[in-house]
Structures are given as structure tokens and as C-alpha cells.
Amino acid sequence: MELHSPREAASFALSLLDLTNLRDDCDDAAIETLCTRAQTPYGAAAAICIWPRFVAHARGILGHGHKVRIATVVNFPGGDLPVASVVEETRQAVEDGADEIDLVIPYRKLMAGDEQAVTDMVEAVRAACPQSCLKVILETGELKDASLVGRGSELAIAAGADFIKTSTGKVSVNATLEAADSMLRAIRASKKRIGFKPAGGISTVADADLYLRLAESTMGPNWLMPSTFRFGASSLLDDILGVLSGAPASRASTGY
């Protein structure tokens, strides 16, 4: 894939978008709006990403077999719940209709040197949702160190992740190109079909294009597709729609 214009980048980013509402004040009406916004005149987002308590409501709106998938978050955002609680949260989300599970690792334990805690959490949640896409959130802005981001990526991949994801969007530093580089290198080294999801701080087509170019330069041509790459964002859709409708593209910026 080679993008030649902001419009092409916008169209492609739309197909890779996990349109997100993880606001504390989210309610049923906001979920209905999100489901509607995910289906645009220019095509559909890949998924919506929402709190577990809204999964059943979203499934009722979208029905079964819809092109827009339903992703939800577990062990979110702190990454510090007991494994048994996260497993139950996961099972309930799948029962309610979630297609995809975005799991926060116990990143503070990883920072303290407890790698086994990461493995145990990911393996347990993987077993609880064997048919679901499992995206594992590293919270790279808290891990900070590139070697630790790389090691977290390796542990998540080895324990059964389908995707590795940068961030919750709930801390001061979320997706960065530096973290993305470490994670993509870990994916490449694994020689497995693992996806990558940058999340938080991606609000313009220009932002998105930087990540698309990095991923393609690291992973090679034809790697980028919804089964291997997603954006986690709430405001990116506004700029995508603006570009696709003919408005000037915004410059790269920050903000979830």
C-alpha cells in the first residue's frame, strides 16, 4: 500500500479505525450515536471500542454479523485487577456480544520486573475468549523505556495476543512513534501474524499517516489491513470525514 494523497490516507484510515468512546460519562444514547457515526457515507469503521457495560446495547443496535465489530476493554484502565476478575469480565463481554477484547496488562508489575504476571494475565484471558480477537494494551507511556516496551510486546505475543496496542488513552503519554517502532520490531521478529494498534493522541489524518508509513516501512508492503492494523481514536473520524468531503487536512496534533 502506498498512499499518495491525504484523501487516500483518510479513506484507508477509516477502514482501520476502532471508533472509541471510553469516556466516564458515556451512556446508552452516546453508544447509539457511536454506532451511527461508525457507518459513514464513505464506508464503515472497523469497530467501535466501548466499556463492557454497553456491549449488549451495542449488539442490539448492530445485530449479528455486522461489518462494524464490537470491541471492549478489560482490566481497564489501571491493569491491576485480579486475574479471576478479568477472566469473568472477559467471559461476560463475550456473552454480551463482544467480538474483540482489549486487555490491559499488569504493566506496573512488569515495570517492577514481574514478567510472569503479564504472561499469566494474557494466557488466562486468551483462554477465556478463544474465538475473539485479543488486543493486549501495554500502556507504553508508563513503561517509557524502549527495551521494556519491546519486552512487554514479546511477552504479550508469546502468551497469545492477536494484536498489541500502545495505550489506554487514560494516561498523560499515549501512542508515540517511538513506542510504535519498538512494538512493530517485536512483531516482525516474532514471525507471527500479529496486529498493531496505536491508540490515544491520534486525531488527524496527518497523525494517522505517520503511523501507516512507519508500519509499512517496518513490516513491508501489503501488511496493512484491518486484521493487522487498527487505530484507537475518538476524534480521528472528524478529520477523516473532513478530508473525504473536501476540507483541507489538519496538521498532525495530539489528543485522544
Side-chain angles (χ1 to χ4, degrees), residues 43-92:
I48 56 169
C49 186
I50 58 179
W51 292 107
R53 63 184 179 272
F54 296 115
V55 168
H57 185 52
R59 179 54 68 202
I61 296 167
L62 294 174
H64 293 275
H66 198 283
K67 66 174 70 174
V68 177
R69 296 169 66 83
I70 298 174
T72 195
V73 292
V74 298
N75 204 24
F76 187 96
D80 49 9
L81 294 176
V83 171
S85 298
V86 182
V87 165
E88 178 54 35
E89 192 176 31
T90 301
R91 287 177 174 156
Q92 186 62 55

